[in-house]
Amino acid sequence: MVQIRKTLNLHFHHFHTEGPAPYAAPEYAGAFFDQGFFVGANVRESVNAGYADYLPAHLSESQSMYRSGALPCDVAMVQVSLPDADGMVSLGTSVDCSVAALEVATLKIAVVNPRVPFAYGDLVPLSCFDHLVYDETPLITKDYVQPSETELRIGKYCAELVPDGACLQMGIGSLPNAVAAALANHRDLGLHTEMFADGALELIEKGVINGAAKTIDKGQTVASFLLGSQKVYDFVHRNPAVRMRDIQYTNDPWNIARNDRVVSINSALEIDLTGQVCADSIGTRIFSGTGGQLDFVRGAKMSKEGKAILAMASRTNKGRAKIVPTLQPGAGVVTPRADIQWVVTEYGAVNLYGKSLQERARLLMSIAHPDDREMLDREAFARFGLHWRQ
């Protein structure tokens, strides 16, 4: 039996989490220190106040940080399904880097929850755990969010870039739901993604996503973690058409590119006139995480006939421009300008691939909010000089 001595300054690592996060609260400073690969609403204030922290990493590399020892992991605590007849359990909603953590941890603890879906893919033996805890707490769900009119327009432009037989990567939220709604008349789409949510499930139920044209994992939906309604969890449970895999498999750009016609659809907080994309922070304020955006941007571009799409509204809900002359001071560049390809707003779609700085600026201005275009033109003139107006 492994003995863990009582100590302070316990570090917690995690992907996106939902629900209360008391371990990140100021009153527990010195006892717990939360370090997340993704910063959700439950830890955002603590991270930006310094009581918790952010681990910037491409999701494809999160597993290698554990496997290489770059990120120590003494104790792995994971939630698992009930075992099958062979004593194997599923990591259910959160395979991601959990397999890697279990491989290297000194102490392994499983929370066995009958509500966790038994998802095929990367399973682990129940016998590998040092301790088992039984719990029947319902899983946290995220219900389907109806898209706005602006998002529906963005979804339409995105869908026009998706050919029949494409293999999709898309996430959760009202914008991906808008894209899914616009894809309802497409045929033989596939899904190879990091997150599986309700928008994609609707397309599966309509027969639009069937995986028939996939090059690898033909006929199967492949993902690494789930977040959605109970309907999503029920669909995945013991469904041989779904494979929940290690993030090493789902997010490796070379593996992504093995499918033809990969179309990745991601979002951004802002993009500057040269094509630099910020997706994890608002200035110095950490808002979310790097995620797998660049993994899939690069994988989609390497794919035969693939496309990488960055989709966003031209302005925030508060009316602030999201296409800007320069990123806010301290903002993180998640997708470099050398990697950018398609950018979509409610005003259209432009392809920045192979375009110079001035060409990019003109293209991005054309899909910016009309009331922001004069400001952008003025800033571009100040940056590029007299030739800009010729």
Side-chain angles (χ1 to χ4, degrees):
M1 180 70 67
V2 177
Q3 297 294 325
I4 301 295
R5 62 185 177 84
K6 293 182 179 180
T7 185
L8 296 177
N9 198 26
L10 297 173
H11 289 220
F12 284 86
H13 305 150
H14 58 77
F15 267 33
H16 176 83
T17 60
E18 292 283 330
Y23 46 82
E27 55 264 37
Y28 295 109
F32 305 130
F33 193 58
D34 178 72
Q35 297 174 307
F37 290 108
F38 193 92
V39 176
N42 58 350
V43 296
R44 193 169 293 142
E45 292 303 319
S46 294
V47 167
N48 288 293
Y51 293 105
D53 208 354
Y54 166 48
L55 273 166
H58 303 301
L59 290 195
S60 62
E61 296 182 354
S62 59
Q63 52 77 31
S64 66
M65 290 182 176
Y66 288 126
R67 288 177 168 130
S68 69
L71 188 62
C73 181
D74 299 310
V75 180
M77 296 184 290
V78 298
Q79 188 166 225
V80 303
S81 70
L82 293 174
D84 65 8
D86 297 318
M88 304 297 287
V89 293
S90 169
L91 293 162
T93 60
S94 189
V95 178
D96 43 70
C97 63
S98 298
V99 176
L102 287 171
E103 288 176 5
V104 303
T106 305
L107 182 67
K108 305 172 182 65
I109 302 172
V111 177
V112 182
N113 188 336
R115 299 177 186 270
V116 171
F118 189 97
Y120 295 109
D122 290 328
L123 307 176
V124 295
L126 190 63
S127 60
C128 80
F129 292 97
D130 300 292
H131 297 284
L132 305 178
V133 179
Y134 186 81
D135 180 60
E136 296 187 6
T137 301
L139 302 184
I140 292 175
T141 58
K142 283 281 190 179
D143 291 330
Y144 182 91
V145 180
Q146 290 292 339
S148 66
E149 286 300 318
T150 294
E151 289 165 333
L152 289 172
R153 290 196 295 273
I154 296 170
K156 176 178 177 293
Y157 285 122
C158 288
E160 290 173 353
L161 297 173
V162 179
D164 288 337
C167 183
L168 300 176
Q169 175 258 326
M170 53 196 298
I172 189 173
S174 53
L175 183 52
N177 292 344
V179 176
L183 291 170
N185 294 320
H186 278 58
R187 298 172 56 189
D188 296 332
L189 299 181
L191 188 67
H192 179 110
T193 188
E194 57 190 17
M195 175 184 282
F196 181 26
D198 286 82
L201 178 56
E202 286 204 346
L203 292 177
I204 293 173
E205 292 178 328
K206 292 175 180 176
V208 175
I209 291 179
N210 56 28
K214 292 180 75 174
T215 312
I216 62 170
D217 301 312
K218 188 177 290 289
Q220 294 183 340
T221 286
V222 174
S224 193
F225 52 97
L226 309 172
L227 183 59
S229 67
Q230 186 60 45
K231 188 177 179 181
V232 171
Y233 306 151
D234 293 342
F235 176 81
V236 169
H237 181 63
R238 295 196 176 276
N239 186 341
V242 179
R243 288 290 186 271
M244 298 296 294
R245 301 295 306 272
D246 188 320
I247 206 80
Q248 182 181 40
Y249 183 85
T250 60
N251 282 49
D252 180 348
W254 293 101
N255 202 43
I256 293 166
R258 291 170 65 193
N259 275 306
D260 294 340
R261 297 175 298 280
V262 172
V263 179
S264 68
I265 304 172
N266 290 283
S267 193
L269 294 172
E270 63 180 8
I271 178 171
D272 75 9
L273 285 178
T274 72
Q276 295 189 112
V277 176
C278 175
D280 66 348
S281 63
I282 301 172
T284 58
R285 180 178 172 79
I286 301 300
F287 185 79
S288 54
T290 303
Q293 182 173 118
L294 191 56
D295 297 333
F296 277 92
V297 165
R298 289 179 171 168
K301 287 171 60 183
M302 290 190 295
S303 166
K304 181 181 178 181
E305 299 178 24
K307 295 173 183 172
I309 300 172
L310 268 297
M312 65 178 191
S314 63
R315 281 183 162 183
T316 68
N317 292 334
K318 295 181 179 180
R320 185 182 182 280
K322 296 182 73 172
I323 295 178
V324 294
T326 58
L327 300 181
Q328 295 184 52
V333 175
V334 170
T335 297
R337 55 190 169 209
D339 287 286
I340 194 70
Q341 193 179 35
W342 286 93
V343 180
V344 177
T345 73
E346 70 271 31
Y347 296 104
V350 295
N351 188 355
L352 304 188
Y353 190 68
K355 299 296 190 292
S356 69
L357 295 185
Q358 292 187 39
E359 289 171 331
R360 289 164 179 243
R362 294 187 190 281
L363 288 170
L364 287 168
M365 281 174 53
S366 73
I367 60 169
H369 192 282
D371 293 343
D372 295 328
R373 293 176 190 176
E374 182 179 346
M375 174 273 294
L376 292 170
D377 178 73
R378 186 170 58 250
E379 293 293 333
F381 175 73
R383 178 168 186 166
F384 298 120
L386 292 175
H387 177 71
W388 175 256
R389 296 281 171 80
Q390 294 176 356

